[in-house]
Amino acid sequence: MGYTLSEKLLARGAGRERVQAGDIIWTDIDKAMMDDVLGPRLEIDQCLKQMEAQVWDPERVVIISDHYTPPANSNQADIVKFTREWARDHGVRNYYEFAGPCHQVMVEKGHVMPGDVIVGTDSHTCTYGALASFSTGVGSTEMAGVLATGQTWMKVPQTILARWEGTLGPGVMAKDVSLKTIGTVGHGGATYKTLEYTGSTIASMHMDERFCLSNMAVEAGAKAGLIGYDDETARYLARFGVTRRFDHLRSDPDAVFARTLVFDAECLVPQVACPHEVDHVCDLADAGQIPIHQAYIGSCTGGRYTDLEMAARMLKGRQVAPGIRLLVSPASREIYNLCMKNGILETLADAGAVILASSCGACLGIHSGALASGEVCISTTNRNFIGRMGSKESRVYLASPASVAASAVAGRIMDPRELM
């Protein structure tokens, strides 16, 4: 009997030859990531003092202020200040501020390697699974234990295998693949399981698109969202000078899976998640011609270079509909600068988009684009819960960058293929 990728990764973390789904293990942690929302707090300091412990290895800790940057009020500014000073006082040199959403910063700064076991104080830490690492979110209290010991316990999860075969059609993106998968699995269908993507469709995807898939695995309840190591992984890691191969970091053909789902990419059309659940998914064309007030392209899910490039392609020579707010927030400062040099931001701005700082603010409605009562937004973000982007009386639809850009032009939810 073969191993799943989860079993291989957690066996390495536990220092054991083999672990099986259902085993309770202690695993070493390769990296611990904290953001400004659920990261350094007085509670963590108190936990460390009670354990009479220091940070086990400051070089393995990464702290990123992203949700409250730029601060919208003095309370947010105080939190960012505390986070900055905590990192300095505890010898954490890997501290980033105004660099963008934490998950994009983690991967583009080279803090994730295949085979790693990583925990972070954000549920979308599962993003790093696109680089064949076991990465998952934890709470602040559990993080305090990790900071003190460099270890944590886990139950080895079963794996749901999502196999996608074939070529995606025009106007169809990784976000559509993700939404279709989540709609099939259900918002709790992968609870404490790994959601692993495989197949020819995934093999042909750029790493930007793979990050989107792994990022949203938690929306099906998954503990981790994995994609096996291949040549695309190697190409991405080459930017950091990594030449070592990790070809063993794939699920074995004879591994035991809790469930296997097979999808035909040729049949996939643009998807949309309707309020107020991420698994409330349908073909975007079937959602109806719903008028919108705001369109948002950004976040750790839908603000990467290829996302903004697609949006610019859709908007070039067109204008955002009168009265519609199109907000664009690149997923990192690095992406912001690249899109500025390549003319992508200029194209978006010429079409009527407002270019925001690289931040998490609009995604969870705390600044830079919160929704008012009764407003409707179509967004490239990962959640559409009640009140997620502002007022509890607002509604959020989730779609791909292509679909969001097309909808901004139409002033209503629209299938991007109508503009192609």
Side-chain angles (χ1 to χ4, degrees):
M1 184 176 67
Y3 302 79
T4 66
L5 180 52
S6 285
E7 290 169 338
K8 291 182 180 183
L9 293 170
L10 290 179
R12 173 197 170 275
R16 290 162 56 174
E17 183 176 339
R18 174 158 196 166
V19 298
Q20 292 181 299
D23 289 350
I24 305 294
I25 63 165
W26 280 93
T27 178
D28 291 336
I29 299 300
D30 294 286
K31 288 286 174 62
M33 188 282 296
M34 293 188 285
D35 58 22
D36 50 357
V37 171
L38 291 172
R41 286 291 184 275
L42 291 174
E43 292 84 352
I44 285 183
D45 273 342
Q46 291 169 354
C47 287
L48 290 174
K49 288 176 182 177
Q50 289 175 358
M51 291 184 282
E52 297 182 351
Q54 302 293 323
V55 174
W56 103 99
D57 187 347
E59 294 300 317
R60 292 180 180 268
V61 178
V62 183
I63 300 177
I64 303 165
S65 289
D66 57 355
H67 288 65
Y68 294 138
T69 54
N73 52 53
S74 60
N75 181 59
Q76 292 181 7
D78 284 341
I79 291 172
V80 174
K81 178 174 179 285
F82 184 91
T83 305
R84 183 189 310 123
E85 293 176 349
W86 195 97
R88 180 199 64 202
D89 295 344
H90 289 80
V92 178
R93 295 190 295 176
N94 295 316
Y95 174 75
Y96 302 91
E97 190 175 316
F98 292 97
C102 56
H103 307 306
Q104 180 63 25
V105 174
M106 280 288 289
V107 296
E108 73 181 23
K109 297 299 184 182
H111 292 300
V112 179
M113 287 288 290
D116 282 355
V117 179
I118 302 175
V119 293
T121 55
D122 187 281
S123 57
H124 294 102
T125 299
C126 53
T127 303
Y128 323 144
L131 290 174
S133 71
F134 192 94
S135 310
T136 193
V138 297
S140 296
T141 303
E142 187 171 356
M143 180 57 77
V146 170
L147 292 176
T149 67
Q151 293 185 316
T152 193
W153 71 271
M154 288 187 193
K155 182 173 75 171
V156 180
Q158 294 179 306
T159 295
I160 296 176
L161 193 69
R163 176 177 289 115
W164 281 85
E165 303 290 353
T167 303
L168 296 173
V172 183
M173 302 183 69
K175 183 63 169 286
D176 302 302
V177 172
S178 179
L179 291 176
K180 182 67 175 181
T181 305
I182 293 168
T184 302
V185 174
H187 72 275
T191 298
Y192 218 109
K193 294 182 176 67
T194 290
L195 182 58
E196 181 178 342
Y197 285 92
T198 188
S200 62
T201 311
I202 312 304
S204 66
M205 280 186 174
H206 187 275
M207 190 57 70
D208 277 5
E209 298 173 290
R210 296 183 180 191
F211 286 137
C212 174
L213 297 181
S214 292
N215 175 279
M216 290 197 66
V218 70
E219 308 309 333
K223 185 76 171 173
L226 297 182
I227 298 174
Y229 178 92
D230 63 7
D231 289 341
E232 173 60 21
T233 324
R235 280 191 290 271
Y236 186 85
L237 293 171
R239 59 162 53 182
F240 309 112
V242 178
T243 58
R244 177 187 169 192
R245 298 286 301 192
F246 299 85
D247 293 295
H248 63 291
L249 292 180
R250 292 193 287 261
S251 287
D252 295 329
D254 58 343
V256 176
F257 299 102
R259 187 180 178 189
T260 298
L261 304 170
V262 180
F263 299 91
D264 183 356
E266 310 277 350
C267 298
L268 185 65
V269 298
Q271 303 288 293
V272 63
C274 303
H276 294 284
E277 297 290 347
V278 184
D279 65 344
H280 189 194
V281 176
C282 67
D283 294 351
L284 189 141
D286 294 338
Q289 298 188 8
I290 300 167
I292 63 171
H293 302 88
Q294 179 168 298
Y296 179 70
I297 300 172
S299 84
C300 62
T301 308
R304 297 186 177 85
Y305 181 83
T306 54
D307 299 322
L308 272 58
E309 182 183 44
M310 171 60 83
R313 197 182 313 161
M314 298 293 296
L315 290 166
K316 189 173 181 63
R318 298 186 171 100
Q319 284 292 306
V320 173
I324 303 302
R325 310 185 299 271
L326 172 58
L327 308 181
V328 177
S329 176
S332 72
R333 184 165 54 194
E334 182 175 307
I335 293 170
Y336 189 112
N337 291 338
L338 183 58
C339 288
M340 183 166 56
K341 291 176 183 176
N342 291 351
I344 289 175
L345 295 188
E346 183 179 9
T347 298
L348 295 172
D350 286 347
V354 176
I355 312 300
L356 305 174
S358 299
S359 170
C360 300
C363 178
L364 66 162
I366 54 176
H367 62 78
S368 303
L371 298 175
S373 175
E375 289 193 318
V376 174
C377 177
I378 184 167
S379 174
T380 66
T381 52
N382 44 44
R383 286 182 177 157
N384 60 348
F385 306 153
I386 293 175
R388 170 67 180 182
M389 295 185 74
S391 169
K392 291 182 179 180
E393 281 71 51
S394 63
R395 289 181 292 155
V396 177
Y397 292 79
L398 304 179
S400 74
S403 297
V404 173
S407 299
V409 171
R412 59 175 175 82
I413 293 180
M414 187 175 80
D415 190 318
R417 295 174 299 174
E418 294 184 43
L419 290 186
M420 300 179 77

